[in-house]
Amino acid sequence: MTIVKSRPFREKQGKILLEGRRLIADALKAGAVPKVFFFSRLEYIKELPIDKLKGVSLIKVKFEDIKDWSDLVTPQGIMGIFAKPDHVKMTYPETQLRHLLPLLLICDNLRDPGNLGTILRSAAGAGCSKVLLTKGCVDPWEPKVLRAAMGAHFQVPIINNLDWETLPNYLPTDTRVYVADNCGLYAQAQMSDKASDHGWVCDRRLSKLHKYEEEEEEEDLEPGASKAWLPELEVQSYDLDWTEAPAAVVIGGETHGVSLESLQLAESTGGKRLLIPVVPGVDSLNSAMAASILLFEGRRQLRVRAEHLSRDRCYH
Protein backbone atom coordinates (compact mmCIF):
# COMPACT_ATOMS: atom_id res chain seq x y z
CA MET A 1 0.00 0.00 0.00
CA THR A 2 2.98 2.31 0.52
CA ILE A 3 3.77 1.93 -3.18
CA VAL A 4 0.15 2.75 -4.10
CA LYS A 5 0.44 6.04 -2.17
CA SER A 6 3.60 7.09 -3.99
CA ARG A 7 3.86 9.64 -6.79
CA PRO A 8 5.75 7.26 -9.12
CA PHE A 9 2.83 4.81 -8.86
CA ARG A 10 0.31 7.53 -9.65
CA GLU A 11 2.31 8.76 -12.63
CA LYS A 12 3.37 5.40 -14.10
CA GLN A 13 0.21 3.41 -13.37
CA GLY A 14 -2.22 6.30 -13.77
CA LYS A 15 -4.02 5.34 -10.56
CA ILE A 16 -4.78 7.06 -7.26
CA LEU A 17 -5.78 5.97 -3.78
CA LEU A 18 -8.91 7.38 -2.16
CA GLU A 19 -9.95 6.78 1.41
CA GLY A 20 -13.19 7.34 3.30
CA ARG A 21 -16.86 6.83 2.47
CA ARG A 22 -17.62 10.48 1.65
CA LEU A 23 -14.63 11.00 -0.65
CA ILE A 24 -15.25 7.72 -2.48
CA ALA A 25 -18.95 8.57 -2.90
CA ASP A 26 -18.05 12.01 -4.31
CA ALA A 27 -15.55 10.44 -6.70
CA LEU A 28 -18.13 7.94 -8.01
CA LYS A 29 -20.75 10.67 -8.50
CA ALA A 30 -18.25 12.69 -10.51
CA GLY A 31 -17.52 9.75 -12.79
CA ALA A 32 -14.18 8.56 -11.42
CA VAL A 33 -13.51 4.94 -12.39
CA PRO A 34 -12.81 2.51 -9.51
CA LYS A 35 -10.51 -0.47 -9.95
CA VAL A 36 -10.23 -2.04 -6.49
CA PHE A 37 -12.00 -1.58 -3.16
CA PHE A 38 -10.59 -2.73 0.16
CA PHE A 39 -13.22 -2.83 2.89
CA SER A 40 -13.61 -4.18 6.42
CA ARG A 41 -17.43 -4.40 6.51
CA LEU A 42 -19.77 -5.43 3.69
CA GLU A 43 -22.20 -2.61 4.49
CA TYR A 44 -19.64 -0.07 3.26
CA ILE A 45 -19.80 -1.65 -0.21
CA LYS A 46 -23.60 -1.85 -0.12
CA GLU A 47 -23.71 1.94 0.35
CA LEU A 48 -22.10 2.42 -3.08
CA PRO A 49 -24.10 2.55 -6.36
CA ILE A 50 -24.31 -1.01 -7.67
CA ASP A 51 -23.83 0.11 -11.28
CA LYS A 52 -20.45 1.60 -10.36
CA LEU A 53 -19.12 -1.75 -9.10
CA LYS A 54 -19.13 -3.67 -12.39
CA GLY A 55 -15.69 -5.08 -13.07
CA VAL A 56 -14.31 -3.77 -9.77
CA SER A 57 -12.25 -6.06 -7.53
CA LEU A 58 -13.77 -6.21 -4.04
CA ILE A 59 -11.37 -7.34 -1.33
CA LYS A 60 -12.50 -7.79 2.28
CA VAL A 61 -9.69 -7.23 4.78
CA LYS A 62 -9.34 -6.87 8.53
CA PHE A 63 -9.96 -3.42 9.96
CA GLU A 64 -6.50 -3.65 11.55
CA ASP A 65 -5.01 -3.83 8.05
CA ILE A 66 -6.87 -0.70 6.96
CA LYS A 67 -5.66 1.05 10.13
CA ASP A 68 -2.09 0.15 9.19
CA TRP A 69 -2.55 1.44 5.63
CA SER A 70 -4.58 4.52 6.51
CA ASP A 71 -3.34 8.10 6.84
CA LEU A 72 -6.51 9.13 8.68
CA VAL A 73 -6.69 9.62 12.44
CA THR A 74 -9.98 7.69 12.40
CA PRO A 75 -10.00 5.21 9.49
CA GLN A 76 -13.43 4.60 7.97
CA GLY A 77 -12.98 1.01 6.90
CA ILE A 78 -12.89 1.46 3.11
CA MET A 79 -10.21 2.42 0.59
CA GLY A 80 -10.29 2.45 -3.18
CA ILE A 81 -7.84 2.46 -6.05
CA PHE A 82 -9.18 4.56 -8.95
CA ALA A 83 -7.97 5.45 -12.41
CA LYS A 84 -6.54 8.95 -12.20
CA PRO A 85 -9.48 11.24 -13.08
CA ASP A 86 -9.47 13.24 -16.32
CA HIS A 87 -11.11 16.64 -15.79
CA VAL A 88 -12.57 16.53 -19.30
CA LYS A 89 -14.52 13.35 -18.53
CA MET A 90 -15.65 14.33 -15.05
CA THR A 91 -19.22 15.30 -14.15
CA TYR A 92 -19.15 18.06 -11.56
CA PRO A 93 -22.09 18.81 -9.22
CA GLU A 94 -24.93 20.77 -10.83
CA THR A 95 -25.01 23.26 -7.96
CA GLN A 96 -21.29 23.88 -8.46
CA LEU A 97 -21.73 24.44 -12.20
CA ARG A 98 -24.54 26.94 -11.61
CA HIS A 99 -22.29 29.06 -9.43
CA LEU A 100 -19.15 29.02 -11.60
CA LEU A 101 -17.53 32.42 -12.08
CA PRO A 102 -15.10 33.87 -14.67
CA LEU A 103 -12.41 33.38 -12.04
CA LEU A 104 -9.45 31.00 -12.27
CA LEU A 105 -6.60 30.08 -9.99
CA ILE A 106 -3.02 29.38 -11.06
CA CYS A 107 -0.79 27.63 -8.52
CA ASP A 108 2.85 28.44 -9.17
CA ASN A 109 5.39 26.07 -7.59
CA LEU A 110 3.22 25.29 -4.56
CA ARG A 111 4.92 22.44 -2.73
CA ASP A 112 3.14 22.19 0.61
CA PRO A 113 0.36 19.54 0.39
CA GLY A 114 -1.67 21.02 3.25
CA ASN A 115 -1.63 24.48 1.67
CA LEU A 116 -2.59 23.15 -1.76
CA GLY A 117 -5.47 21.14 -0.33
CA THR A 118 -6.78 24.17 1.54
CA ILE A 119 -6.42 26.31 -1.59
CA LEU A 120 -8.40 23.79 -3.66
CA ARG A 121 -11.15 23.81 -1.05
CA SER A 122 -11.29 27.62 -1.18
CA ALA A 123 -11.30 27.57 -4.99
CA ALA A 124 -14.32 25.26 -4.99
CA GLY A 125 -16.06 27.36 -2.37
CA ALA A 126 -15.44 30.61 -4.25
CA GLY A 127 -16.81 29.19 -7.51
CA CYS A 128 -13.58 29.06 -9.54
CA SER A 129 -14.09 27.68 -13.01
CA LYS A 130 -10.80 25.76 -12.90
CA VAL A 131 -7.48 25.44 -11.10
CA LEU A 132 -4.22 25.23 -13.05
CA LEU A 133 -1.05 23.82 -11.47
CA THR A 134 2.37 24.44 -12.98
CA LYS A 135 5.20 21.95 -13.03
CA GLY A 136 6.92 21.99 -9.66
CA CYS A 137 3.70 21.96 -7.66
CA VAL A 138 2.97 19.09 -5.29
CA ASP A 139 0.87 16.32 -6.85
CA PRO A 140 -2.79 17.24 -6.22
CA TRP A 141 -3.64 13.53 -5.83
CA GLU A 142 -1.24 13.04 -2.94
CA PRO A 143 -3.10 11.72 0.15
CA LYS A 144 -2.29 14.81 2.26
CA VAL A 145 -3.67 17.12 -0.43
CA LEU A 146 -6.81 15.00 -0.74
CA ARG A 147 -7.40 15.15 3.02
CA ALA A 148 -7.01 18.92 3.21
CA ALA A 149 -9.18 19.53 0.12
CA MET A 150 -12.23 17.77 1.62
CA GLY A 151 -13.67 16.63 -1.71
CA ALA A 152 -12.78 19.74 -3.75
CA HIS A 153 -11.08 17.53 -6.34
CA PHE A 154 -14.53 16.45 -7.51
CA GLN A 155 -16.09 19.91 -7.43
CA VAL A 156 -13.70 22.00 -9.52
CA PRO A 157 -11.60 21.01 -12.58
CA ILE A 158 -7.91 20.62 -11.68
CA ILE A 159 -5.30 20.55 -14.44
CA ASN A 160 -1.78 19.89 -13.24
CA ASN A 161 1.80 19.57 -14.47
CA LEU A 162 1.50 22.48 -16.91
CA ASP A 163 4.43 24.41 -18.32
CA TRP A 164 4.19 28.15 -18.86
CA GLU A 165 4.26 27.82 -22.65
CA THR A 166 1.02 25.82 -22.77
CA LEU A 167 -0.74 27.25 -19.71
CA PRO A 168 -2.32 30.20 -21.62
CA ASN A 169 -4.20 27.66 -23.76
CA TYR A 170 -6.31 26.84 -20.69
CA LEU A 171 -7.33 30.44 -20.07
CA PRO A 172 -10.55 31.89 -21.51
CA THR A 173 -10.21 34.59 -24.15
CA ASP A 174 -9.36 38.06 -22.78
CA THR A 175 -8.34 36.71 -19.36
CA ARG A 176 -6.21 39.05 -17.28
CA VAL A 177 -3.66 37.44 -15.00
CA TYR A 178 -3.07 38.95 -11.55
CA VAL A 179 -0.18 38.03 -9.29
CA ALA A 180 -0.55 37.81 -5.53
CA ASP A 181 2.76 39.28 -4.47
CA ASN A 182 4.45 42.55 -3.65
CA CYS A 183 7.63 44.16 -2.47
CA GLY A 184 7.38 47.19 -0.24
CA LEU A 185 9.86 49.29 -2.22
CA TYR A 186 7.84 48.99 -5.42
CA ALA A 187 4.50 49.36 -3.66
CA GLN A 188 5.75 52.56 -2.05
CA ALA A 189 6.82 53.94 -5.39
CA GLN A 190 3.71 52.92 -7.30
CA MET A 191 0.90 53.40 -4.80
CA SER A 192 1.71 56.14 -2.31
CA ASP A 193 4.32 57.50 0.02
CA LYS A 194 2.55 55.71 2.86
CA ALA A 195 2.27 52.27 1.23
CA SER A 196 5.12 50.76 3.18
CA ASP A 197 3.55 51.91 6.44
CA HIS A 198 0.70 49.45 5.85
CA GLY A 199 2.99 46.42 5.85
CA TRP A 200 2.12 45.06 2.40
CA VAL A 201 2.65 41.35 1.84
CA CYS A 202 6.07 40.91 0.25
CA ASP A 203 7.26 37.95 -1.75
CA ARG A 204 10.74 36.98 -0.58
CA ARG A 205 11.88 35.72 -3.97
CA LEU A 206 10.87 38.95 -5.67
CA SER A 207 12.72 40.92 -3.01
CA LYS A 208 15.85 39.11 -4.12
CA LEU A 209 15.05 39.72 -7.77
CA HIS A 210 14.48 43.44 -7.19
CA LYS A 211 17.66 43.69 -5.13
CA TYR A 212 19.63 41.97 -7.86
CA GLU A 213 18.07 44.24 -10.47
CA GLU A 214 19.08 47.34 -8.52
CA GLU A 215 22.65 46.09 -8.07
CA GLU A 216 22.82 45.26 -11.77
CA GLU A 217 21.76 48.77 -12.71
CA GLU A 218 24.66 50.19 -10.70
CA GLU A 219 27.14 48.32 -12.87
CA ASP A 220 28.34 49.59 -16.22
CA LEU A 221 26.19 48.03 -18.93
CA GLU A 222 27.11 47.72 -22.57
CA PRO A 223 25.25 50.03 -24.96
CA GLY A 224 21.84 48.57 -25.82
CA ALA A 225 21.78 46.20 -22.84
CA SER A 226 18.36 46.00 -21.18
CA LYS A 227 17.94 46.91 -17.52
CA ALA A 228 14.23 46.12 -17.33
CA TRP A 229 14.57 42.34 -17.36
CA LEU A 230 11.96 42.00 -14.62
CA PRO A 231 8.40 42.81 -15.80
CA GLU A 232 7.03 46.05 -14.40
CA LEU A 233 3.51 45.43 -13.16
CA GLU A 234 1.20 48.08 -11.80
CA VAL A 235 0.33 47.55 -8.16
CA GLN A 236 -3.15 47.84 -6.71
CA SER A 237 -4.90 46.96 -3.47
CA TYR A 238 -6.72 43.64 -3.58
CA ASP A 239 -10.06 45.27 -2.69
CA LEU A 240 -10.14 47.58 -5.73
CA ASP A 241 -11.96 46.30 -8.80
CA TRP A 242 -9.96 43.74 -10.80
CA THR A 243 -12.73 41.47 -12.13
CA GLU A 244 -14.14 43.55 -15.01
CA ALA A 245 -12.68 40.92 -17.38
CA PRO A 246 -12.19 37.18 -16.76
CA ALA A 247 -9.48 37.00 -14.10
CA ALA A 248 -6.84 34.45 -13.15
CA VAL A 249 -4.99 34.79 -9.85
CA VAL A 250 -1.46 33.42 -9.46
CA ILE A 251 -0.47 32.13 -6.02
CA GLY A 252 3.17 31.27 -5.46
CA GLY A 253 4.72 28.88 -2.96
CA GLU A 254 5.96 30.29 0.33
CA THR A 255 9.55 29.15 -0.16
CA HIS A 256 10.19 30.13 -3.77
CA GLY A 257 7.42 32.64 -4.39
CA VAL A 258 6.00 33.41 -7.80
CA SER A 259 8.06 32.70 -10.90
CA LEU A 260 9.37 35.16 -13.45
CA GLU A 261 7.14 33.43 -16.01
CA SER A 262 4.03 34.31 -14.00
CA LEU A 263 5.02 37.99 -13.98
CA GLN A 264 5.61 37.89 -17.72
CA LEU A 265 2.20 36.32 -18.30
CA ALA A 266 0.53 38.93 -16.11
CA GLU A 267 2.28 41.72 -18.02
CA SER A 268 1.28 40.27 -21.40
CA THR A 269 -2.40 40.08 -20.41
CA GLY A 270 -2.63 43.55 -18.86
CA GLY A 271 -2.79 42.20 -15.32
CA LYS A 272 -1.46 43.69 -12.10
CA ARG A 273 -0.01 42.77 -8.74
CA LEU A 274 -2.60 42.51 -5.96
CA LEU A 275 -1.61 43.62 -2.48
CA ILE A 276 -3.08 42.47 0.83
CA PRO A 277 -2.29 44.82 3.74
CA VAL A 278 -1.15 43.34 7.04
CA VAL A 279 -0.14 44.99 10.29
CA PRO A 280 3.52 46.17 10.30
CA GLY A 281 5.87 43.66 11.85
CA VAL A 282 3.71 40.66 10.96
CA ASP A 283 5.21 38.17 8.51
CA SER A 284 3.52 37.76 5.14
CA LEU A 285 0.38 35.62 4.90
CA ASN A 286 0.80 32.02 3.90
CA SER A 287 -0.24 31.02 0.40
CA ALA A 288 -3.49 29.34 1.44
CA MET A 289 -4.67 32.38 3.39
CA ALA A 290 -3.72 34.80 0.61
CA ALA A 291 -5.48 32.66 -2.01
CA SER A 292 -8.66 32.48 0.07
CA ILE A 293 -8.75 36.24 0.60
CA LEU A 294 -8.24 37.03 -3.08
CA LEU A 295 -10.66 34.41 -4.43
CA PHE A 296 -13.51 35.44 -2.16
CA GLU A 297 -12.79 39.10 -2.83
CA GLY A 298 -13.09 38.29 -6.53
CA ARG A 299 -16.37 36.52 -5.84
CA ARG A 300 -17.63 39.54 -3.88
CA GLN A 301 -16.76 41.92 -6.71
CA LEU A 302 -18.51 39.74 -9.30
CA ARG A 303 -21.61 39.44 -7.11
CA VAL A 304 -21.80 43.21 -6.62
CA ARG A 305 -21.40 43.76 -10.37
CA ALA A 306 -24.19 41.28 -11.11
CA GLU A 307 -26.48 43.01 -8.61
CA HIS A 308 -25.81 46.39 -10.20
CA LEU A 309 -26.56 45.03 -13.67
CA SER A 310 -29.77 43.46 -12.44
CA ARG A 311 -30.82 46.72 -10.80
CA ASP A 312 -30.09 48.68 -13.98
CA ARG A 313 -32.24 46.32 -16.04
CA CYS A 314 -35.14 46.85 -13.61
CA TYR A 315 -34.90 50.62 -14.03
CA HIS A 316 -34.94 50.32 -17.81
Side-chain angles (χ1 to χ4, degrees), residues 132 162-173 175 265 268-269:
L132 307 178
L162 297 175
D163 55 47
W164 287 101
E165 288 73 24
T166 59
L167 187 144
N169 298 332
Y170 295 90
L171 301 177
T173 305
T175 296
L265 181 59
S268 69
T269 61

Side-chain angles (χ1 to χ4, degrees), residues 125-192:
C128 278
S129 57
K130 69 181 69 168
V131 178
L132 307 178
L133 277 64
T134 64
K135 290 181 178 179
C137 286
V138 62
D139 184 358
W141 299 103
E142 180 179 306
K144 289 181 180 178
V145 181
L146 285 162
R147 286 204 307 275
M150 296 293 289
H153 290 72
F154 304 108
Q155 295 175 320
V156 59
I158 300 169
I159 308 168
N160 69 317
N161 207 33
L162 297 175
D163 55 47
W164 287 101
E165 288 73 24
T166 59
L167 187 144
N169 298 332
Y170 295 90
L171 301 177
T173 305
D174 299 326
T175 296
R176 291 180 184 171
V177 176
Y178 295 86
V179 178
D181 81 286
N182 164 60
C183 286
L185 174 65
Y186 278 60
Q188 185 173 5
Q190 295 187 44
M191 292 195 66
S192 74

Side-chain angles (χ1 to χ4, degrees), residues 92-260:
Y92 297 99
E94 187 61 34
T95 52
Q96 192 76 20
L97 295 176
R98 284 201 307 268
H99 291 87
L100 285 184
L101 300 172
L103 184 63
L104 292 83
L105 179 66
I106 301 173
C107 296
D108 180 11
N109 213 25
L110 272 169
R111 299 184 179 181
D112 184 271
N115 277 345
L116 179 56
T118 302
I119 286 171
L120 294 176
R121 190 176 180 184
S122 291
C128 278
S129 57
K130 69 181 69 168
V131 178
L132 307 178
L133 277 64
T134 64
K135 290 181 178 179
C137 286
V138 62
D139 184 358
W141 299 103
E142 180 179 306
K144 289 181 180 178
V145 181
L146 285 162
R147 286 204 307 275
M150 296 293 289
H153 290 72
F154 304 108
Q155 295 175 320
V156 59
I158 300 169
I159 308 168
N160 69 317
N161 207 33
L162 297 175
D163 55 47
W164 287 101
E165 288 73 24
T166 59
L167 187 144
N169 298 332
Y170 295 90
L171 301 177
T173 305
D174 299 326
T175 296
R176 291 180 184 171
V177 176
Y178 295 86
V179 178
D181 81 286
N182 164 60
C183 286
L185 174 65
Y186 278 60
Q188 185 173 5
Q190 295 187 44
M191 292 195 66
S192 74
D193 293 337
K194 295 292 184 180
S196 61
D197 295 339
H198 293 288
W200 300 106
V201 172
C202 181
D203 184 280
R204 286 188 287 272
R205 184 171 179 266
L206 277 180
S207 292
K208 296 176 182 177
L209 290 176
H210 286 311
K211 182 179 180 182
Y212 177 80
E213 185 184 43
E214 289 159 6
E215 290 175 351
E216 185 183 64
E217 289 178 355
E218 292 176 0
E219 299 176 359
D220 291 330
L221 297 177
E222 295 180 4
S226 174
K227 296 181 180 180
W229 64 278
L230 190 65
E232 291 288 346
L233 292 179
E234 184 180 339
V235 180
Q236 77 169 55
S237 178
Y238 80 105
D239 55 353
L240 299 179
D241 192 9
W242 47 271
T243 56
E244 63 274 8
V249 176
V250 179
I251 297 291
E254 291 179 52
T255 302
H256 299 279
V258 294
S259 63
L260 179 61

